[in-house]
Amino acid sequence: MLPQPVKKIGKQTLQFTQPPVIFSMSSIVGPMEGKGPYGKAFDYVLEDTLFGEKSWEKAESKMLREAIKRALLKVNLEAKDIDFMFAGDLLNQIVAANFAAREINIPFLGLYGACSTMVEGLALGAVMIDVGSAHRVAVGASSHHNTAERQYRMPTEQGAQRVLWGQWTVTGAGGVLLVKEGSGPVITHCTVGQVIDLGIKDANDMGSCMAPAAADTIIRHFQDLGRQPSDYDLILSGDLGSVGLNITKELLGFEGYDVKNNMTDSGVMIYHPDQDTHAGGSGCGCISVMLCGPILRRMAEGLYKRILAVGTGALLSPISTQQGESVPAIAHAVVIEARP
Amino acid sequence: MLPQPVKKIGKQTLQFTQPPVIFSMSSIVGPMEGKGPYGKAFDYVLEDTLFGEKSWEKAESKMLREAIKRALLKVNLEAKDIDFMFAGDLLNQIVAANFAAREINIPFLGLYGACSTMVEGLALGAVMIDVGSAHRVAVGASSHHNTAERQYRMPTEQGAQRVLWGQWTVTGAGGVLLVKEGSGPVITHCTVGQVIDLGIKDANDMGSCMAPAAADTIIRHFQDLGRQPSDYDLILSGDLGSVGLNITKELLGFEGYDVKNNMTDSGVMIYHPDQDTHAGGSGCGCISVMLCGPILRRMAEGLYKRILAVGTGALLSPISTQQGESVPAIAHAVVIEARP
């Protein structure tokens, strides 16, 4: 039997023997995210939410396409140099990703993990690279405030009042290029989550829905690897928002994991408190742009040596809610380490 | 450097060095599919389209859950014995798969490849097994006529007249268990498709939309491996229907590949001509149940030694169509070989 480059450790975690390199990344955000505390850390801030297109859906697809193309451009690569592309988004039938892939011409594998999609893609992309299936893999995910609002809740033109525990879908897209050999931080492990549903039916309270899934995956990750929170400079969740982040910290505390000092959430970080987003940001784009923007920049500056990025997804649809279902959720995690 | 179990051949094809085994499979279909020419080859035929549930969406999710559970039961395995599960469906936010995964408790990776989802899952599952990331992977996909009609077209209660080149979404779900070691046919290769869009805007004419993608992936597959159609006992596409199958055969003929005698389509096979489905079956469930039912049974009986299964997906959404977009499509292929 051949030696195996990928090693499964414990119940849900994979360890990469030749850790794939995050060789390039790009982030595009909307005007509101550009005015947030990390506005200057993103590659490109849209002047308006339409990005020169006739609809928000087309604008979202263009953001995703541009994020992936810019990640390649930065390292002088083209689509033909890339083996596979993983991407997804929140739109019905992931049309932002499908239409982006139409313009890019890379063999394409569509994903749906709600707001965990970017991390799901990084995990699967890392598997493909580590085992030699691919030398270079592109990964991308996007969301758009106006497309998500009209699909999941109310058209934004209606000006409906939002609940205080609601979150604001981030307008943004991130693109990552993973390679076999090169300089940059590496993905050393991934932990694939299970679907968890503790019965919450308020589709506006996504933080509470996702917190148990986030805690479950983080606990599994620690157990599988025999690690502690202190092994990470930062534990970054995707879009738990302020409500979900607090619940997750509490759930982890019950199990003896103290993350008070080193865990935060992309949705909590991305907006100023006075931007009136209530519980913070959400959407596939949330962790995508925070990772591809400020977080990996800080890692390059030496601020973080090892982080745990935890994508969190609420796996509902408007129809499942209308049919009385509660909201299942999932979280996937990847470990990213700085390499000298 | 460690030897690599998976080898990329040509532009889009992966060759598995330790080909994953299709150790078990299960198929569930609706009443209409049960009355079709292969009705007796499926494991379970529903008495009605609600399957004891209160909505068709819940029925679809139950079908998918049961198909995966039955595939495990047949070989005396339980969810806890399975490393990962890949699944998807056509519903917005793939809720059939998400809610199935909620009940099954296997680390879950959600996919969206429209009707190519089953083959996308088999390809990714095979990668995970071949490289040692997993010993056992479950793969599933589903569709339901009534959920698809009301989401993509018209509610069935309305009794709208269907166009003659339209297809009938299959009510059905397939579940496959891939393992590292065991008896059964093996997956030797996969070819990952690119998104192809030749500009057709008639969302009812999915066969014409998908044919160029199917032909592209099949041609890439032949080119990557230096193979010919005669290397396969059967080339089985997913849901091109009669219109799309004929176009695909013609496109392959233009490039010098004669598939007249050994290519057919799951959507053409699944219904009797007098079942009034017009151009045939479609949906994620179409190739899923045909593979997990009659086709792999025939392989077990020695009728086929090597087949090429080509999942085909139309990557549209009702909104992309309303916004004037044409219909992009994709096709993924896996090679399945009988093992003595």
Side-chain angles (χ1 to χ4, degrees):
Chain A
M1 204 164 90
L2 294 169
Q4 300 298 343
V6 182
K7 193 172 158 195
K8 191 172 173 213
I9 298 184
K11 283 178 73 82
Q12 296 176 214
T13 300
L14 299 176
Q15 174 172 305
F16 303 113
T17 308
Q18 308 161 70
V21 178
I22 298 179
F23 194 49
S24 179
M25 64 258 174
S26 174
S27 55
I28 300 183
V29 297
M32 181 155 149
E33 293 72 21
K35 293 189 190 103
Y38 298 92
K40 291 202 165 63
F42 303 117
D43 288 332
Y44 190 82
V45 179
L46 306 189
E47 285 179 27
D48 62 59
T49 53
L50 278 170
F51 201 8
E53 296 290 318
K54 285 186 178 174
S55 74
W56 288 314
E57 286 76 14
K58 289 178 202 273
E60 179 176 347
S61 185
K62 184 175 174 184
M63 277 198 304
L64 180 53
R65 187 177 81 214
E66 288 299 315
I68 291 169
K69 280 192 173 174
R70 280 159 194 254
L72 305 188
L73 253 179
K74 283 184 185 182
V75 288
N76 293 315
L77 290 172
E78 294 173 47
K80 68 173 173 50
D81 304 314
I82 312 304
D83 296 297
F84 300 109
M85 169 170 148
F86 288 93
D89 58 273
L90 291 173
L91 293 180
N92 295 342
Q93 291 75 55
I94 62 164
V95 283
N98 291 335
F99 282 84
R102 181 179 72 172
E103 309 296 328
I104 298 184
N105 296 326
I106 302 174
F108 173 63
L109 294 149
L111 302 179
Y112 187 82
C115 311
S116 72
T117 299
M118 182 51 127
V119 178
E120 182 184 354
L122 291 175
L124 286 170
V127 169
M128 296 288 262
I129 299 249
D130 188 71
V131 303
S133 298
H135 277 79
R136 302 190 189 104
V137 172
V139 183
S142 66
S143 54
H144 191 299
H145 180 72
N146 303 74
T147 66
E149 284 298 308
R150 67 178 169 192
Q151 179 179 286
Y152 285 102
R153 287 169 283 263
M154 301 287 183
T156 48
E157 297 91 333
Q158 197 171 322
Q161 192 169 1
R162 300 166 55 251
V163 298
L164 282 174
W165 49 93
Q167 293 173 241
W168 187 276
T169 308
V170 165
T171 299
V176 170
L177 174 62
L178 298 177
V179 302
K180 197 172 188 65
E181 282 160 9
S183 61
V186 295
I187 298 179
T188 61
H189 302 80
C190 70
T191 300
V192 178
Q194 293 195 20
V195 177
I196 307 280
D197 183 343
L198 295 193
I200 291 169
K201 292 193 174 186
D202 178 357
N204 285 310
D205 187 9
M206 293 201 296
S208 301
C209 299
M210 295 190 292
D216 186 74
T217 295
I218 294 169
I219 291 167
R220 293 278 183 192
H221 177 81
F222 290 149
Q223 288 176 343
D224 285 349
L225 294 183
R227 287 190 178 171
Q228 288 293 323
S230 58
D231 289 317
Y232 295 93
D233 300 315
L234 174 70
I235 298 169
L236 178 77
S237 54
D239 58 346
L240 294 169
S242 54
V243 174
L245 178 62
N246 286 335
I247 299 173
T248 305
K249 285 184 173 181
E250 203 167 336
L251 291 172
L252 290 170
F254 292 154
E255 300 292 322
Y257 296 105
D258 178 4
V259 295
K260 274 199 289 294
N261 298 320
N262 62 342
M263 180 171 181
T264 188
D265 180 72
S266 308
V268 170
M269 294 174 80
I270 194 165
Y271 299 115
H272 285 297
D274 63 5
Q275 282 184 295
D276 198 27
T277 62
H278 301 184
S282 66
C284 293
C286 189
I287 193 169
S288 304
V289 301
M290 287 305 292
L291 259 189
C292 296
I295 301 299
L296 290 177
R297 270 176 208 263
R298 285 180 176 184
M299 185 169 256
E301 289 161 4
L303 201 64
Y304 305 130
K305 288 247 178 332
R306 184 196 276 164
I307 67 172
L308 183 67
V310 187
T312 45
L315 302 175
L316 76 166
S317 82
I319 286 185
S320 70
T321 303
Q322 286 159 13
Q323 294 186 353
E325 282 287 359
S326 53
V327 181
I330 198 163
H332 302 300
V334 290
V335 179
I336 305 176
E337 281 187 18
R339 281 286 153 100
Chain B
M1 204 163 91
L2 295 169
Q4 300 298 343
V6 182
K7 193 171 158 193
K8 192 174 173 211
I9 298 184
K11 282 179 75 82
Q12 295 176 217
T13 300
L14 299 176
Q15 174 173 303
F16 303 113
T17 309
Q18 307 162 72
V21 178
I22 298 178
F23 193 49
S24 179
M25 63 257 174
S26 174
S27 54
I28 299 182
V29 297
M32 181 155 151
E33 293 71 22
K35 293 190 190 100
Y38 297 92
K40 290 201 167 62
F42 303 116
D43 288 331
Y44 189 82
V45 179
L46 305 189
E47 283 179 28
D48 62 60
T49 53
L50 278 170
F51 201 8
E53 295 290 320
K54 285 187 176 171
S55 74
W56 288 314
E57 287 76 13
K58 289 179 200 275
E60 179 176 346
S61 185
K62 185 176 174 185
M63 277 198 304
L64 180 53
R65 188 177 81 214
E66 288 299 314
I68 291 169
K69 280 191 173 176
R70 281 159 194 254
L72 304 188
L73 253 179
K74 283 185 186 182
V75 288
N76 294 315
L77 290 171
E78 294 174 47
K80 68 172 174 48
D81 303 313
I82 311 304
D83 296 298
F84 300 109
M85 169 171 149
F86 288 93
D89 58 274
L90 291 172
L91 292 180
N92 295 342
Q93 291 77 56
I94 63 164
V95 284
N98 291 334
F99 282 85
R102 181 179 72 172
E103 309 296 327
I104 297 185
N105 295 326
I106 302 173
F108 173 62
L109 294 149
L111 302 179
Y112 186 81
C115 310
S116 73
T117 299
M118 182 50 128
V119 178
E120 182 183 354
L122 291 175
L124 286 170
V127 169
M128 296 288 262
I129 298 249
D130 187 71
V131 303
S133 297
H135 277 79
R136 302 190 189 103
V137 171
V139 183
S142 65
S143 54
H144 191 300
H145 180 71
N146 303 74
T147 67
E149 284 299 307
R150 68 177 169 192
Q151 180 179 286
Y152 284 103
R153 286 169 285 263
M154 300 287 182
T156 48
E157 297 92 333
Q158 196 171 323
Q161 192 169 2
R162 299 166 56 249
V163 298
L164 282 174
W165 51 92
Q167 293 172 239
W168 187 276
T169 306
V170 165
T171 299
V176 170
L177 173 63
L178 297 177
V179 302
K180 198 172 188 62
E181 281 159 10
S183 62
V186 295
I187 298 179
T188 61
H189 301 80
C190 71
T191 300
V192 178
Q194 292 195 18
V195 177
I196 307 278
D197 183 343
L198 296 192
I200 291 169
K201 292 193 174 186
D202 179 356
N204 285 310
D205 186 9
M206 293 201 297
S208 300
C209 299
M210 295 190 292
D216 186 74
T217 295
I218 295 169
I219 291 167
R220 293 279 182 190
H221 177 81
F222 290 149
Q223 288 176 344
D224 285 350
L225 294 183
R227 287 189 178 172
Q228 289 293 323
S230 58
D231 290 317
Y232 294 94
D233 299 314
L234 174 70
I235 299 169
L236 177 77
S237 54
D239 58 345
L240 294 168
S242 53
V243 174
L245 178 63
N246 286 334
I247 298 173
T248 304
K249 285 184 172 181
E250 203 167 334
L251 291 171
L252 290 170
F254 290 154
E255 299 293 321
Y257 297 105
D258 178 2
V259 295
K260 274 199 286 295
N261 298 319
N262 62 342
M263 180 170 182
T264 188
D265 180 72
S266 308
V268 171
M269 295 174 79
I270 195 165
Y271 299 114
H272 286 296
D274 64 5
Q275 282 185 296
D276 198 28
T277 63
H278 300 183
S282 66
C284 293
C286 188
I287 192 168
S288 303
V289 300
M290 287 305 292
L291 259 188
C292 295
I295 301 299
L296 290 178
R297 271 177 207 263
R298 285 181 177 183
M299 184 168 257
E301 290 160 5
L303 201 65
Y304 305 130
K305 286 248 179 331
R306 184 196 277 164
I307 68 171
L308 184 66
V310 187
T312 45
L315 302 174
L316 76 165
S317 82
I319 286 186
S320 70
T321 303
Q322 285 159 14
Q323 294 186 354
E325 282 287 359
S326 52
V327 181
I330 198 162
H332 302 301
V334 290
V335 179
I336 304 175
E337 281 186 18
R339 282 286 154 99

